Amino acid sequence: MSQAMKTKKIAERAKKIRPGRNVKKAMKPLFKKKVPGTAKETVGGKDLNISKRKRAESQREAALAAERASKEPEAIKHSEDEAREYAENIFDTVREPLIALDHILRVVKVSRSFYDFFKVKPEDTMGQLIYDLGNKQWDIPKLRELLETILPQKASFDNYEVEHEFTTIGRRVMLLNARQIQQASGKERIILLAIEDITERKRAEEEILKLNAELEDRVVKRTAQLEAANKELEQFAYVASHDLQEPLRMVSSYTQLLEQRYKDKLDQDAKDFIGYAVDGANRMQRLIQDLLEYSRVTTRGQHPAPLDAHDALGEAVRNLQVAIQESGALVTSNDLPMVLGVRTQIVQVFQNLIGNGIKFQRPDVAPRIHISTENNLQDNRFRLFKVTDNGIGIEPRHFGRLFEIFQRLNSKKEYPGTGIGLALCKRIVERHGGRIWVESEPGKGASFFFTLPVKGHDNT
């Protein structure tokens, strides 16, 4: 019989079943017999034990759910215990004092560092209103402001500075960090207060401020002393330029007049003596003039301004035109940049360095002097200048004293001069924020290097 026909018969028989009659018996002819060795019963090929299995499964799931539900409170309690232990360990591990307050500002938890630092006992702390701690020594106006005014408006606040005199530990400066924490259980909020003692740091800062003030005061006084010294030096320069040079001019003039008027009556020794006197007077005049130039570098120096280094070099060469022609010197240069400087002083540097190249020439060798420039790799705020000559050169052991005032490496008879020229160059270059040095070997000429600030960088 087909499945469709079986289903039709079942439906027809089900209509004929009288109320109260056993359904299974009424439909028994349509059931197949049990298959030996199994517990299955089928009707029309359908498994009649499905509902039994579903009921059993539902019962098992309900039992498992009940078992899980019975264990949840225990698990929750275990998790809460772990969290509480973790929080307590954090409290006791942190070095800064920590204190927890309830919603009415009573102490509910305190770290060990709090007890140690403020020298208080647990029995005098736990459950107390924070303002009552230590005989009300915590009744601090700024603490009240933080807890009662600031925190209700903000959930947290950092670096709130409080200074207070404690009876147990003296005056302290503290930084307070405060946090409001709403507990997950729905209980009232708690306030966590972290305290950092910055007393020593504040003392150190105050000491530094005091030392800085003293240093500034010393600088002001020293500056005033230097200004006074500069004024004295300026006055000396004025005296030297007028009062000292005038007698020297008179000595030189009258000595030369004596030679002209009585030259027929003087023997050779007398003429030599007069020559020595005139030469000495002239050298003294040159020395005074050089000293004046040296002193005026700082006392009468103008403020540096943009200038064309090539123009300054041209002026220096024109000033040395007589010496260049007499020695047969050749002065060349590359293109030179704009720099920041005092024009007269930069001209003086070029003039002194080129003049030395001419003065210290090798015998029977015409001076060759070249001025070049390049980027300063050590500091791009400055331009590097190089003045190279083919003169007698300098021994490296003399480099250290070469730029000191009145230092001479050669005799006055062989190479005349006052010994101030290179010292003057050094003073001018350093006044502009640069530096100067030399590289040389005996018999192979010398190269003088110096740096000047470029346009756009005023370093003076």
Side-chain angles (χ1 to χ4, degrees), residues 92-379:
D92 290 334
T93 302
V94 175
R95 296 179 62 183
E96 286 76 18
L98 296 176
I99 185 170
L101 310 173
D102 64 13
H103 67 287
I104 60 173
L105 305 181
R106 289 178 305 190
V107 179
V108 295
K109 179 65 180 174
V110 174
S111 67
R112 285 186 301 183
S113 54
F114 183 93
Y115 293 128
D116 294 340
F117 184 79
F118 291 102
K119 304 185 185 309
V120 292
K121 298 178 180 179
E123 55 268 26
D124 299 329
T125 305
M126 294 299 296
Q128 297 292 319
L129 188 68
I130 188 170
Y131 306 131
D132 293 338
L133 293 181
N135 256 339
K136 297 187 181 297
Q137 62 177 312
W138 279 84
D139 192 2
I140 307 169
K142 289 201 72 175
L143 181 61
R144 280 186 176 271
E145 180 185 21
L146 173 63
L147 297 177
E148 298 176 8
T149 304
I150 297 176
L151 268 187
Q153 300 175 11
K154 299 179 66 175
S156 63
F157 200 89
D158 293 330
N159 299 325
Y160 187 78
E161 187 172 314
V162 174
E163 184 173 355
H164 187 65
E165 182 79 33
F166 291 92
T167 57
T168 53
I169 59 174
R171 180 160 292 276
R172 292 288 167 175
V173 183
M174 303 173 292
L175 282 183
L176 306 184
N177 287 358
R179 293 286 185 278
Q180 290 192 81
I181 302 173
Q182 188 68 39
Q183 300 186 76
S185 60
K187 296 179 181 178
E188 296 288 348
R189 64 185 175 88
I190 63 171
I191 298 173
L192 183 62
L193 196 64
I195 304 167
E196 180 184 0
D197 178 32
I198 60 168
T199 307
E200 295 304 320
R201 190 173 82 192
K202 293 290 286 188
R203 285 175 184 168
E205 290 173 356
E206 291 172 359
E207 187 66 23
I208 290 173
L209 290 175
K210 180 181 177 182
L211 292 174
N212 284 340
E214 292 178 356
L215 182 60
E216 288 178 3
D217 185 57
R218 290 180 184 177
V219 169
V220 170
K221 290 180 180 178
R222 182 58 177 162
T223 302
Q225 292 173 352
L226 289 173
E227 289 176 352
N230 283 337
K231 287 181 179 179
E232 291 178 2
L233 183 58
E234 203 166 348
Q235 291 173 353
F236 165 77
Y238 177 81
V239 171
S241 63
H242 293 83
D243 298 352
L244 292 180
Q245 288 196 74
E246 185 59 29
L248 288 173
R249 280 195 291 268
M250 289 182 63
V251 169
S252 177
S253 296
Y254 278 104
T255 304
Q256 291 174 351
L257 184 62
L258 180 64
E259 181 185 19
Q260 293 171 6
R261 187 170 292 185
Y262 298 102
K263 62 180 179 180
D264 295 336
K265 298 180 180 180
L266 298 175
D267 59 15
Q268 189 58 43
D269 287 344
K271 293 178 181 180
D272 290 341
F273 295 156
I274 291 174
Y276 296 149
V278 172
D279 181 63
N282 290 337
R283 283 192 289 108
M284 181 61 73
Q285 275 189 310
R286 287 197 301 273
L287 178 60
I288 291 173
Q289 289 169 356
D290 287 346
L291 283 172
L292 286 174
E293 289 296 329
Y294 187 83
S295 67
R296 286 170 179 165
V297 169
T298 54
T299 58
R300 292 188 180 179
Q302 302 171 0
H303 190 72
L307 66 92
D308 190 335
H310 200 276
D311 289 347
L313 173 63
E315 184 175 338
V317 171
R318 288 192 295 273
N319 293 342
L320 293 168
Q321 198 59 42
V322 174
I324 290 173
Q325 291 177 353
E326 290 178 351
S327 63
L330 177 64
V331 180
T332 59
S333 72
N334 296 343
D335 290 335
L336 302 183
M338 295 290 292
V339 296
L340 280 174
V342 178
R343 182 181 180 84
T344 56
Q345 295 180 356
I346 303 305
V347 170
Q348 187 73 58
V349 172
F350 281 127
Q351 186 170 319
N352 286 2
L353 295 178
I354 295 171
N356 277 354
I358 296 173
K359 181 195 300 184
F360 295 102
Q361 69 182 96
R362 285 181 290 165
D364 303 322
V365 178
R368 296 289 181 266
I369 300 153
H370 183 71
I371 297 92
S372 60
T373 183
E374 60 188 61
N375 290 326
N376 184 12
L377 299 179
Q378 296 181 351
D379 191 342

